[in-house]
Amino acid sequence: MGTHPYFANQRTKPMHDIRMIRDNPAAFDAALSRRGIAGLSSQILTLDEERRAKILAAETAQADANAAAKQVGAAKASGDEAEFERLRALVATKKAEIAALNEEAKAADVTLNDLMLTIPNLPYDDVPMGADEAENVELKKQGTPKTFDFKALEHFEIPSVVPGMDFETAAKLSGSRFVLLSGAVARVHRALAQFMLDTHVEENDLIETNTPVMVREEMMYGTGQLPKFGEDSYQTTNGWWLIPTAEVTLTNIVNNATLDEAALPRRFAAHTLCFRSEAGSAGRDTSGMLRQHQFEKVEMVTICHPDTSDAEHLRMTACAEGILEKLNLPYRTVILCTGDMSAGARRTHDIEVWLPGQNAYREISSISTCGDYQARRMNARFKPTEGGKPEFLHTLNGSGLAVGRCLIAVLENGQQADGSVALPEVLHPYLRGKTTINASGKLV
RNA sequence: GGAGACGUGCCGGAGUGGUCGAACGGGGCGGUCUCGAAAACCGUUGAGCCUUUACGGGUUCCCAGGGUUCGAAUCCCUGCGUCUCCGCCA
């Protein structure tokens, strides 16, 4: 297994800071052990030493050759043919030596990088240890699930919703895991997206952004979808990838850029389509529109100084929670344990909304701080105001929120005994004052 | 889809085989002048890696990869990208 071409070009340095590992191998091992990975630092450092020795040898030979090559011109100019020939031969000899040494140096470098690529990000100390989602820790519970004096239905069973949520026709058009919304349901779906984006722009000070949904392959490496998770996304015949989340476009805004520290933080929000193959999800959430190949999401991304990323993580979480609170939807917020976090995250908060039809909390937002993991892959840095070398930025991303899942939550939580749905007050202005989907599916 | 041009530092833009990490201009930073500011003038201003306690030294990078050459930003090949004109089109 060789290094992927994208990483072979040396523009990026995958995720881990080798200097940090050299300086404090014990801390590195300790953090990884919390993810169930045994001490790797000694293996890494051995490879690192070998790599540096090879580089030193290659560069020394190169320096010799350069010195000789420089004198060649002078020898020729002064007419000293013998000296000219001697130097010329010397450079030729060195050249072969350098080629061999370079090859060894490159091989050592590739070996080290390949190992580093397989290592997940280090969890922060405040992330609870655990094997799987059962060991996630609840941080907050907001709102009380409403008790219904009738059997709460799932969203696709509610009489007023049924006519506006057509899975059969969607299947005819596109297959399974698609839905055709119409009438009041489509309207409420649209209203939700508008409401979320407006709130983020006007109250949370995020920059409204409208992004492409097809991207170059390189961008999928920047945020970490590739090389390992390509089967989760779709690619067009001419090589573009359909974004599985606007995290890809919003975060890669700073791909290969060096920002002024004064320009930080940059906080973006975008409402986009998202596309996911849901490979490996066969049989899960097959009814209703909880899990689709195509869905809409309002995404938040923050690019910030390393010192502020913890505060930004809390801020972003609050931005997402605020949407649910305005919609009067009960939710709980959990911090994912080490075993449930994705490879790129250093800390993740999940927000789960109450779905009466399922009698359960279900994920509606996932908010992660990636530290400098993505920034290293993207080569995204900032120049410190007080001078000095550029440093890697920190990046965060979170849903704010998944529009389709939010629609489900609004419908299920608002359902009434007569089959109608009472809509949250904050949506009324977006519905020209309408407040309810009546039992026959009409917005009134 | 057809035709062509181009890819250089924070930006604009020179450079067609050696002395080029790269002219010149702009921007940024520091200074002189000024009560202060502007203007003017002077100076300074890329990044990665290796090495060094440090000062410093070395090496690589002019889209990427390969080739020619004693020597490449400069020549050749391939790929990627951008732009312009025509056609088509929401």
Side-chain angles (χ1 to χ4, degrees), chain A residues 200-363:
Chain A
H200 291 318
V201 169
E202 289 171 12
E203 297 181 22
N204 298 333
D205 199 26
L206 309 187
I207 300 165
E208 177 165 355
T209 311
N210 189 299
T211 83
V213 297
M214 299 193 288
V215 294
R216 294 198 173 115
E217 186 158 67
E218 184 183 3
M219 302 304 147
M220 296 284 279
Y221 284 95
T223 32
Q225 282 73 28
L226 293 176
K228 285 178 92 172
F229 306 107
E231 70 279 1
D232 295 337
S233 294
Y234 294 109
Q235 191 173 24
T236 69
T237 51
N238 46 3
W240 281 312
W241 288 82
L242 303 186
I243 59 171
T245 159
E247 169 196 345
V248 175
T249 42
L250 292 176
T251 307
N252 276 293
I253 287 173
V254 297
N255 189 301
N256 203 28
T258 304
L259 309 184
D260 285 331
E261 183 180 342
L264 303 175
R266 308 213 60 196
R267 305 188 184 106
F268 301 103
H271 166 216
T272 70
L273 285 166
C274 303
F275 303 91
R276 296 189 185 177
S277 72
E278 295 299 338
S281 298
R284 290 174 64 198
D285 305 316
T286 47
S287 39
M289 60 177 290
L290 197 68
R291 191 177 299 275
Q292 306 279 287
H293 289 308
Q294 170 191 321
F295 61 95
E296 291 179 39
K297 185 157 58 68
V298 172
E299 180 75 359
M300 304 177 285
V301 161
T302 295
I303 312 291
C304 69
H305 189 284
D307 292 347
T308 67
S309 64
D310 282 341
E312 291 291 339
H313 195 202
L314 294 175
R315 183 187 198 275
M316 187 180 277
T317 302
C319 288
E321 290 171 340
I323 298 293
L324 290 173
E325 283 164 30
K326 284 172 186 290
L327 291 167
N328 271 317
L329 296 171
Y331 68 87
R332 65 185 202 124
T333 304
V334 302
I335 180 169
L336 299 192
C337 71
T338 52
D340 199 27
M341 264 198 318
S342 63
R346 298 205 66 177
R347 186 196 302 109
T348 298
H349 296 151
D350 268 11
I351 300 176
E352 301 175 343
V353 69
W354 176 252
L355 295 187
Q358 291 198 1
N359 197 41
Y361 285 100
R362 293 299 306 258
E363 178 185 334

Side-chain angles (χ1 to χ4, degrees), chain A residues 106-144:
Chain A
K106 199 169 180 179
D109 202 45
V110 165
T111 306
L112 179 60
N113 274 354
D114 280 351
L115 173 61
M116 298 278 262
L117 264 175
T118 65
I119 304 171
N121 209 346
L122 309 180
Y124 283 123
D125 290 342
D126 56 13
V127 173
M129 210 160 143
D132 54 40
E133 66 178 298
E135 294 181 77
N136 294 342
V137 174
E138 185 174 296
L139 297 178
K140 176 178 181 181
K141 193 174 246 170
Q142 177 78 29
T144 312

